[in-house]
Amino acid sequence: MDTVILGASEVAHLSSVDPVTGRIDGSDLLNRKKNIGEDIGIHIRNGIIQRMAPNEEIQHEWGDIRPDTHQKMHITPEGNRWINTNGKAIVPGFVDSHTHLLWDGDRSHEMALKIEGKTYQDLSKLGMGISTTVKATRNSDISRLIEIGKNRIQRARSMGTTTMEAKSGYGLDTDTELRLLSAAKSLEDLHDAPALHHTWLGAHAYPPDVHHQSWNEHLVDEQLPAIIEQNIATSVDVFCEPGWFDLEFTEDIVHSSMRKGLRSRLHVDEFVDGGGLNLAAELRVDSADHAGYSSDDAREKASKAGVNTGFLPGTPYVHGDPMTNAIEQCINEGWKWSMATDFNPNCRSLSIPFVGSLAVHRMRIPPIAALAAVTVNAASTLDTPLGVGQLIEGGVADLNILQTESADGWCLMPGDNPVDFSIHHTSLIGYTSNTNSN
Ligand code: NIG
Ligand code: FE
């Protein structure tokens, strides 16, 4: 099946990707000219981009389309699709590289306590926070978890996310962790599901009343082998933070997991500089996320070791904490970074455009740099096919058609959805025939 897209004012192809690292870093992140083209038509065959060339050329090759029409799509008698973006911009599909996708329950009541002055750590000590979600999740059977997941991935899809990482971590015991991972796996079979990357976060919190040392042993000696045996996760993750899992155990479980063939990611330095990013650099994990309090030395060391720092601006936003200025520093220094939602019961946003808005409106990061952070750079931390996170001939068709003429508009509609519809391989997601408004 052929799909021809004409009429885009701007196409953010992100072609300043470094062929060695597969990423965009440093000053290239600020270069609109290198990363966004004008007057580009796109020809897709069987889900792969065949050609990107001036609109007129593509139109010529493909014959009869009327770009002046306000009709958004036309299907030919042969079943080929003509899409007219009517001047709206195209960007790559969004890659949400850090989500706690599946859990049950509701922690909305914690907000009032936080406003009264309780911190996230205080609530955790009172048995709230992660523990509350664990209780609800353990009571949730697999069909309920699948229903919950279905609803969430559909919402993420409608806001332009075409690839998503999904962590377990709200079961803590082996049975529930396996149930969460298997529910997440079965979401892949749903029509129009995003591409999913599965991460085992057994080391998310200690269950109440367990002896930490024996729980650590349980994770490595019992839970990890069960995860491996079921071949149900691609990566391991650890909440490495003072008060949760320490550096020594983090190193231990990451080494054990990597020896068994898992890739690795970490939560580090979310509340204090606990040396987590420094360890992440030594372990050469794919991505060390949060990292709001990491030292400059650790940031440099991580980047030199090829370790991406994944900023999650939704989390300081919901905590009422200041936004980090580390992103600007990463751009200036050429350090490796990306952004993601951190969707979880405490930060319930699946919107990558909202993450972009926080970076742009609150941290004054240019939209094109923020776009690379949630597309090609996020994809570089996962196992994705060519074309995810960028628009390239020979790559998979994975793109969003926006509501705005400028590609910068992808993150400039906070609280609203800047994505009109998406193309993921051969599927159209969220398409309606309504003419776009401005
Ligand atoms: O990444 N900090 C650790 N885990 C999650 C939050 C978990 C929760 O509060 O339920 C995070 O922010
Ligand atoms: Fe997280």
Side-chain angles (χ1 to χ4, degrees), residues 220-265:
V220 174
D221 299 338
E222 285 175 44
Q223 212 169 110
L224 170 61
I227 302 293
I228 297 294
E229 199 204 308
Q230 298 213 6
N231 191 18
I232 209 163
T234 304
S235 301
V236 61
D237 194 346
V238 182
F239 186 15
C240 174
E241 183 82 21
W244 281 271
F245 292 88
D246 65 19
L247 295 171
E248 198 186 330
F249 174 67
T250 302
E251 183 171 357
D252 195 20
I253 190 171
V254 167
H255 273 150
S256 303
S257 301
M258 285 168 107
R259 270 198 299 274
K260 290 188 188 294
L262 293 183
R263 300 170 62 134
S264 56
R265 321 176 68 78

Side-chain angles (χ1 to χ4, degrees), residues 152-185:
R152 289 179 187 163
I153 59 177
Q154 275 164 0
R155 286 195 335 256
R157 287 309 297 258
S158 72
M159 294 181 280
T161 296
T162 53
T163 301
M164 189 185 246
E165 190 246 16
K167 301 176 195 295
S168 66
Y170 288 103
L172 304 185
D173 61 50
T174 309
D175 279 358
T176 321
E177 285 297 298
L178 286 172
R179 191 157 78 246
L180 286 165
L181 287 163
S182 107
K185 263 259 189 267

Side-chain angles (χ1 to χ4, degrees), residues 53-90:
N55 278 292
E56 208 175 319
E57 252 179 62
I58 299 270
Q59 186 180 344
H60 234 254
E61 277 166 30
W62 283 87
D64 180 32
I65 184 162
R66 298 167 300 282
D68 55 341
T69 176
H70 284 287
Q71 193 185 347
K72 283 201 311 197
M73 186 164 67
H74 171 67
I75 313 266
T76 67
E78 302 78 47
N80 295 328
R81 279 193 299 235
W82 291 99
I83 291 170
N84 178 7
T85 78
N86 286 311
K88 301 303 191 286
I90 298 177

Side-chain angles (χ1 to χ4, degrees), residues 98 100 103 107 110 114 120 129-131 133 167 170 201 204 237 239 241 244 267 270-271 289-290 312 315 319 342-347:
H98 184 134
H100 303 255
W103 41 268
R107 303 219 315 257
E110 290 180 359
K114 287 185 202 156
Y120 182 86
I130 295 175
S131 305
T133 309
K167 301 176 195 295
Y170 288 103
L201 176 57
H204 194 193
D237 194 346
F239 186 15
E241 183 82 21
W244 281 271
H267 284 68
E270 179 177 351
F271 303 118
D289 296 354
H290 285 294
L312 310 171
T315 299
H319 284 145
D342 194 22
F343 174 77
N344 71 64
N346 179 55
C347 174

Side-chain angles (χ1 to χ4, degrees), residues 8 31 38 103 112 114 140 167 181 201 227 267 284 292 317 329-330 375 402 415 420 425:
N31 195 327
E38 289 174 10
W103 41 268
K114 287 185 202 156
S140 202
K167 301 176 195 295
L181 287 163
L201 176 57
I227 302 293
H267 284 68
R284 294 183 185 262
Y317 173 81
Q329 190 188 12
C330 285
T375 53
L402 300 181
D420 182 5
H425 304 186

